[in-house]
Amino acid sequence: GNSVTQMEGPVTLSEEAFLTINCTYTATGYPSLFWYVQYPGEGLQLLLKATKADDKGSNKGFEATYRKETTSFHLEKGSVQVSDSAVYFCALTGYGGATNKLIFGTGTLLAVQP
Amino acid sequence: NAGVTQTPKFQVLKTGQSMTLQCAQDMNHNSMYWYRQDPGMGLRLIYYSASEGTTDKGEVPNGYNVSRLNKREFSLRLESAAPSQTSVYFCASRELAGRSSHEQYFGPGTRLTVT
């Protein structure tokens, strides 16, 4: 079945450091890929998405490219801020069967220190 | 628009008690979902409703029931709470099944502790 694997955290960085959070997936067909962010005490918010191979999703300085050849969707940001401290979830949804379902990775906690 | 709202925000139950978690959305979305979030396990789908009048089991449905009361509301019921159901519960909604946009909008969550 479909699954998502993302790097375990916590990831601790200093402000202005470069961020990469790895995400790989297993899926049949052509899934859509997402990064969600959860700030402390809140629900999840969509950060960015990509719906087909080679698409690049971007938002708030974060980027991720849908790589079908490596089944990856790594999240990157060139210069993190303290306000980026949150839990980041990689997720996918596919076609066929129950197309509504989002499948999440386990989440990666990012802590940015001033 | 309030988006997705959930009540209550916090709840403590004793083993064997029952309760219903409420969820409502004001975005005229067709699909609604209930997830639970546990440390190290991400979010797992409990039940979902692709459209008004339909519900289906997700990954971890045991011990739960749901009701899609109308297009706006989707409730989750624990008939006999167990400590293993201690978790944070999130409700989410999505515009339309099968469309190209799969974004789900999440509520703020209900933190449930079963003692």
Side-chain angles (χ1 to χ4, degrees):
Chain A
N2 295 347
S3 66
V4 174
T5 302
Q6 60 181 108
M7 63 189 287
E8 291 196 21
V11 174
T12 304
L13 296 173
S14 298
E15 212 165 17
E16 300 184 3
F18 184 85
L19 168 71
T20 300
I21 301 178
N22 290 337
C23 171
T24 57
Y25 67 89
T26 301
T28 55
Y30 302 93
S32 295
L33 302 173
F34 306 84
W35 278 100
Y36 279 82
V37 59
Q38 183 181 29
Y39 297 104
E42 298 184 11
L44 278 71
Q45 303 172 26
L46 180 66
L47 180 60
L48 53 85
K49 67 181 180 183
T51 58
K52 61 183 188 294
D54 300 325
D55 267 2
K56 178 186 283 188
S58 61
N59 186 26
K60 299 181 181 180
F62 292 89
E63 293 183 339
T65 301
Y66 188 149
R67 302 281 188 205
K68 192 165 175 61
E69 64 275 14
T70 54
T71 62
S72 65
F73 192 56
H74 304 321
L75 182 68
E76 297 181 336
K77 187 175 186 184
S79 176
V80 294
Q81 306 300 313
V82 172
S83 57
D84 294 326
S85 298
V87 180
Y88 292 81
F89 292 92
C90 186
L92 69 80
T93 187
Y95 287 93
T99 63
N100 300 294
K101 296 180 183 178
L102 270 175
I103 296 170
F104 287 90
T106 53
T108 302
L109 173 63
L110 170 65
V112 180
Q113 298 175 338
Chain B
N1 286 353
V4 180
T5 56
Q6 293 182 236
T7 56
K9 284 187 166 44
F10 300 95
Q11 184 72 49
V12 179
L13 292 177
K14 295 188 189 306
T15 297
Q17 288 185 317
S18 62
M19 78 161 295
T20 299
L21 282 63
Q22 307 287 352
C23 173
Q25 51 90 11
D26 62 1
M27 296 174 282
N28 201 37
H29 285 174
N30 287 282
S31 300
M32 297 185 73
Y33 310 80
W34 276 106
Y35 294 90
R36 59 178 289 172
Q37 182 180 27
D38 302 293
M41 305 198 70
L43 275 76
R44 293 181 291 169
L45 183 64
I46 305 171
Y47 270 94
Y48 68 103
S49 171
S51 60
E52 187 179 356
T54 69
T55 61
D56 285 287
K57 294 178 180 179
E59 185 183 356
V60 288
N62 291 347
Y64 305 95
N65 285 300
V66 290
S67 296
R68 183 73 183 266
L69 303 169
N70 47 55
K71 192 171 185 179
R72 289 187 64 248
E73 298 172 289
F74 188 40
S75 62
L76 178 72
R77 183 159 178 85
L78 287 69
E79 291 291 352
S80 179
S84 61
Q85 294 178 306
T86 294
S87 187
V88 182
Y89 292 85
F90 288 100
C91 178
S93 70
R94 177 184 169 217
E95 182 181 358
L96 189 65
R99 293 284 291 275
S100 61
S101 171
H102 296 279
E103 180 175 359
Q104 293 187 16
Y105 294 80
F106 284 80
T110 295
R111 187 173 294 275
L112 175 67
T113 302
V114 183
T115 61

